[in-house]
């Protein structure tokens, strides 16, 4: 049986068309793909992407493990920085593409594709050593992507964190919608600009409600428009453009 994100009942209230996706019941569209696509390009939309896997790697050996696992060079990461990367199998094929977040010197968060989350976790655990803990925190967390040229103005009303101080592929942890310890990340999969926010699932309804009461311009957006937006930008989709039979070179 498919899992549900903490926003499931809220998607129903917005009359979303729901489908099975990556082991979850997810909104594929609300008003229509073209309408939603254009709304994100011109205004601001919210995607529930809580199906994405979130894996926490901590300990004195965390740096060495993440450097071994991923193809990009995490020496380039300072605290508060993120990096697009991928993990490879022994033949050089792409196990998954992912984001690496450096939370601290000995703490990293990997954000992986939902359909690959268990496979990725197994691979990571096979590589880990005694100086590292690997914890799947997906079921405890939520992830919303607020994307579009109006995202900054909408979100700034909800946080004391100065969003203009967060460069691309960087993040800050602070207060958002009266909730604490929210990761506010200047990242996204649409090419429209905006932020992704990570938070404990206990805050799900509070953050969703405050987002949609903050501005009439904001709309919920389904995964179909997410796909057309990323395709328009030429961003890869795992399982379609990349897989274990392809290498990053």
């Amino acid at each position: 049986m498919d899992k549900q994100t903490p926003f499931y009942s809220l998607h129903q209230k917005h009359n979303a068309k729901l489908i099975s996706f990556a082991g979850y019941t997810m909104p594929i569209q609300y008003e229509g793909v073209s309408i939603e696509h254009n709304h994100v390009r011109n205004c601001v939309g919210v995607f529930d992407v809580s199906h994405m896997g979130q894996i926490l790697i901590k300990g004195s050996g965390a740096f060495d493990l993440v450097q071994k696992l991923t193809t990009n060079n995490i020496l380039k990461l300072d605290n508060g920085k993120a990096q697009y990367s991928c993990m490879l199998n022994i033949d050089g094929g792409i196990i998954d593409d992912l984001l690496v977040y450096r939370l601290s010197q000995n703490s990293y968060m990997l954000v992986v594709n939902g359909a690959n989350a268990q496979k990725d976790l197994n691979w990571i655990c096979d590589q880990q050593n005694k100086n590292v803990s690997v914890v799947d925190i997906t079921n405890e967390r939520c992830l919303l992507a607020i994307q579009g040229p109006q995202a900054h103005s909408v979100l700034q009303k909800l946080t004391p964190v100065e969003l203009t101080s967060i460069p691309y592929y960087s993040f800050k942890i602070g207060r958002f919608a009266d909730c604490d310890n929210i990761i506010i990340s200047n990242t996204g999969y649409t090419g429209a600009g905006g932020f992704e926010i990570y938070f404990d699932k206990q805050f799900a309804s509070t953050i969703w409600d405050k987002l949609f009461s903050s501005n009439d311009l904001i709309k919920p957006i389904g995964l179909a428009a997410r796909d057309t937006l990323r395709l328009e930008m030429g961003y890869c989709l795992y399982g379609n453009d990349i897989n274990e039979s392809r290498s990053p070179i």
Side-chain angles (χ1 to χ4, degrees), residues 77-211:
L77 288 180
D78 296 321
N79 295 346
K81 295 292 185 180
Q83 186 181 74
Y84 177 68
S85 195
C86 59
M87 292 192 297
L88 305 183
N89 61 27
I90 58 174
D91 298 315
I94 300 172
I95 295 173
D96 204 3
D97 62 333
L98 65 147
L99 291 182
V100 178
Y101 286 83
R102 176 167 159 154
L103 304 176
S104 68
Q105 182 178 357
N106 295 318
S107 181
Y108 296 82
M109 181 174 71
L110 306 188
V111 181
V112 303
N113 284 294
N116 292 336
Q118 189 59 54
K119 177 183 73 169
D120 293 352
L121 182 64
N122 293 342
W123 177 257
I124 293 167
C125 289
D126 286 344
Q127 315 303 315
Q128 79 177 100
N129 58 46
K130 62 182 179 180
N131 298 317
V132 180
S133 70
V134 177
V135 182
D136 181 2
I137 60 172
T138 307
N139 292 334
E140 305 165 17
R141 305 281 286 170
C142 294
L143 170 55
L144 293 178
I146 301 94
Q147 301 283 290
Q150 300 297 320
H152 177 278
S153 61
V154 169
L155 297 184
Q156 191 61 78
K157 298 175 184 177
L158 298 172
T159 179
V161 176
E162 180 49 62
L163 298 180
T164 57
S165 70
I166 307 177
Y168 192 44
Y169 269 78
S170 300
F171 66 94
K172 289 190 175 181
I173 301 175
R175 192 166 177 81
F176 182 87
D178 296 325
C179 301
D180 291 320
N181 297 314
I182 311 301
I183 295 176
I184 305 171
S185 175
N186 187 347
T187 48
Y189 191 49
T190 65
F195 294 84
E196 295 175 310
I197 55 173
Y198 300 81
F199 49 93
D200 289 343
K201 66 180 182 181
Q202 63 178 312
F203 300 137
S205 60
T206 297
I207 288 178
W208 182 275
D209 290 344
K210 291 195 174 183
L211 273 171

Side-chain angles (χ1 to χ4, degrees), residues 4 28 53 135 168 176 236-237 249:
Q4 297 173 356
I28 191 69
V135 182
Y168 192 44
F176 182 87
C236 289
L237 173 65
I249 55 174

